[in-house]
Amino acid sequence: MAREKAAELLTVRQVIEELGGISRRTFYRWRELHIAPRCIRLPNGELRVRRDVLNDWLAERAEGTVS
């Protein structure tokens, strides 16, 4: 079950909603700056973000954490 959750693919809309409703433009700007979570480009050109990648990306940005 944990593996099944890790393989979940999120749409850009789902990601920006989870990030507090940032604008689509902000997300794509972050991609240009290489600071957005890693995306997967599907054969139809749409982007997806793996759930585990988003969770790791958020954890890396948590304030007050010790590396």
Side-chain angles (χ1 to χ4, degrees):
M1 179 140 158
R3 180 167 171 79
E4 184 177 305
K5 193 68 171 170
E8 181 183 6
L9 295 178
L10 303 172
T11 64
V12 171
R13 174 177 282 170
Q14 290 172 310
V15 171
I16 63 178
E17 287 174 3
E18 288 207 23
L19 296 177
I22 64 166
S23 72
R24 184 174 283 273
R25 176 64 190 130
T26 296
F27 179 80
Y28 283 101
R29 179 70 177 144
W30 289 353
R31 280 188 39 85
E32 291 171 7
L33 296 171
H34 304 285
I35 58 174
R38 283 189 339 253
C39 296
I40 298 168
R41 185 169 301 279
L42 300 177
N44 65 1
E46 292 183 10
L47 295 176
R48 296 292 186 271
V49 177
R50 285 180 35 174
R51 164 65 65 192
D52 58 334
V53 170
L54 179 62
N55 289 344
D56 291 346
W57 183 84
L58 287 169
E60 290 169 3
R61 280 148 187 80
E63 292 186 4
T65 58
V66 178
S67 305

